[in-house]
Amino acid sequence: MRTIDWVDGAVELVDQTLLPGKCVMLRIHTVEELVDAIRRLAVRGAPALGVAGALGVVLADGDLAAIAALRAARPTAVNLAWGVDRAAAHLSGGREAVLAAALRVRDDDIAACRAMGERGADLLEGDRLRIMTVCNTGGLAAVERGTALGVVQTLHERGRLAEVLALETRPLLQGARLTTWELARMGAPHRLIADSAGPYLLAKGQVDAVLIGADRIAANGDTANKIGSYALALGAERAGVPFVVVAPESTIDPATPSGEHIEIEDRGAEEIVTIGGTRLAPEGTRALNPAFDVTPHDLITAIVTDQRVIRP
Ligand code: MRU
């Protein structure tokens, strides 16, 4: 199954807001619908956003204001703007040229995720690995296979995976809803943990490596990823556990010198004061909701891309 694709003149994507209960494909015909799908996280994860951006330029049919709105639909994952720009560079060639460029972004993602899976599995030492991860970095965050979870998939295929400890990932529960769903489909052993249990389980020696994805990697290696990643990096450093970022080259943003320049999306109070539509906190409670944090490069053991291993 592909998470996102171009099918019969429209963008087709899995509506991730309905998983794990229902697996429904959405057919998207306009940029407006696509921007809405991106904002409500029906499609999410940096590589999938790159493909959505590129395919969205085909839907825009030369409308520059629509292309600008698409590019700005979410600010942190650089892949969205990168995918839009890759397709938009072919606007002068007409719709067929834009479509061909967008399909290359899709195909490059499929190849890049396969390469990252192999390279990441080669990098890690040990036969029966216990991996900790946050958010969802699997096929649902890309096209076919994922980034950090792509490495997990390759380890599992090679018979080297003992277990995955998946953080639930409040507030939108990408770990609890999506990563568990993907791991179950892979037949990979896993247990779900509360986000706050991560550093404790690292300290207890229950993890051999932390693998995370990335939304934007600054020129100095500082990495923005789902909120909670930084706490895991601190816990991993203290416990002497490798902390590995897995992301395609397209997530590296040389125009951003360091993490403090990365715009972190704040998704508003509603996602914090409610859960699954049920109110948690008293009426009137104010909240902060940074969707991502930044891990400084000195806490990162290695960055695995589709082309190389970078050691900050
Ligand atoms: O808010 P999300 O679900 O789009 O956040 C996704 C993440 O933080 C992922 O870890 C990142 O995009 C890498 S996905 C391979």
Side-chain angles (χ1 to χ4, degrees), residues 33-107:
E33 289 168 357
L34 185 58
V35 167
D36 176 63
I38 291 171
R39 291 217 175 111
R40 62 187 187 85
L41 272 55
V43 58
R44 45 146 300 278
L49 290 175
V51 177
L55 294 175
V57 178
V58 187
L59 296 179
D61 214 12
D63 178 342
L64 295 183
I67 292 171
L70 175 63
R71 199 176 185 280
R74 289 187 80 191
T76 305
V78 68
N79 303 63
L80 175 60
W82 171 88
V84 167
D85 292 348
R86 255 191 78 174
H90 295 268
L91 280 172
S92 61
R95 187 182 161 89
E96 285 312 308
V98 174
L99 177 60
L103 296 181
R104 277 197 298 279
V105 171
R106 176 201 64 189
D107 294 344

Side-chain angles (χ1 to χ4, degrees), residues 41 44-47 74 135-137 141 147 174 213-215 225-226 292:
L41 272 55
R44 45 146 300 278
R74 289 187 80 191
C135 197
N136 170 267
T137 59
T147 59
Q174 290 92 330
D215 287 86
N225 190 53
K226 182 52 59 192
F292 303 95

Side-chain angles (χ1 to χ4, degrees), residues 41 44 74 132-137 149 164-180 191-198 211-213 215 225-229 232 267 271-272 274-276 289-293:
L41 272 55
R44 45 146 300 278
R74 289 187 80 191
M132 181 172 279
T133 193
V134 62
C135 197
N136 170 267
T137 59
L149 216 63
V164 179
L165 292 179
L167 271 70
E168 58 181 351
T169 320
R170 264 290 282 157
L172 295 180
L173 302 173
Q174 290 92 330
R177 296 186 302 107
L178 308 176
T179 299
T180 51
R191 283 185 283 179
L192 183 63
I193 61 170
D195 298 332
S196 43
L211 297 182
I212 67 159
D215 287 86
N225 190 53
K226 182 52 59 192
I227 192 77
S229 300
L232 289 187
R267 293 189 52 84
E271 291 177 357
I272 301 294
T274 61
I275 190 161
N289 186 10
F292 303 95
D293 58 26

Side-chain angles (χ1 to χ4, degrees), residues 71-262:
R71 199 176 185 280
R74 289 187 80 191
T76 305
V78 68
N79 303 63
L80 175 60
W82 171 88
V84 167
D85 292 348
R86 255 191 78 174
H90 295 268
L91 280 172
S92 61
R95 187 182 161 89
E96 285 312 308
V98 174
L99 177 60
L103 296 181
R104 277 197 298 279
V105 171
R106 176 201 64 189
D107 294 344
D108 287 356
D109 178 76
I110 294 169
C113 286
R114 202 159 270 285
M116 282 181 276
E118 302 284 328
R119 185 165 287 113
D122 289 347
L123 177 80
L124 296 173
E125 289 169 13
D127 289 336
R128 302 289 303 153
L129 289 164
R130 298 161 305 167
I131 303 294
M132 181 172 279
T133 193
V134 62
C135 197
N136 170 267
T137 59
L140 288 170
V143 179
E144 286 184 357
R145 292 165 82 99
T147 59
L149 216 63
V151 174
V152 164
Q153 190 171 350
T154 306
L155 287 171
H156 182 51
E157 287 163 0
R158 293 184 185 180
R160 292 177 55 211
L161 181 71
E163 180 181 38
V164 179
L165 292 179
L167 271 70
E168 58 181 351
T169 320
R170 264 290 282 157
L172 295 180
L173 302 173
Q174 290 92 330
R177 296 186 302 107
L178 308 176
T179 299
T180 51
W181 186 76
E182 288 202 50
L183 288 167
R185 280 165 59 108
M186 279 178 219
H190 59 280
R191 283 185 283 179
L192 183 63
I193 61 170
D195 298 332
S196 43
Y200 171 69
L201 293 170
L202 282 160
K204 290 277 284 179
Q206 296 199 21
V207 181
D208 298 307
V210 178
L211 297 182
I212 67 159
D215 287 86
R216 189 181 296 244
I217 301 173
N220 72 343
D222 294 351
T223 294
N225 190 53
K226 182 52 59 192
I227 192 77
S229 300
Y230 177 44
L232 289 187
L234 290 168
E237 155 102 340
R238 175 83 182 207
V241 171
F243 184 88
V244 178
V245 174
V246 185
E249 292 281 331
S250 51
T251 303
I252 300 175
D253 179 14
T256 298
S258 63
E260 71 207 52
H261 300 276
I262 299 175

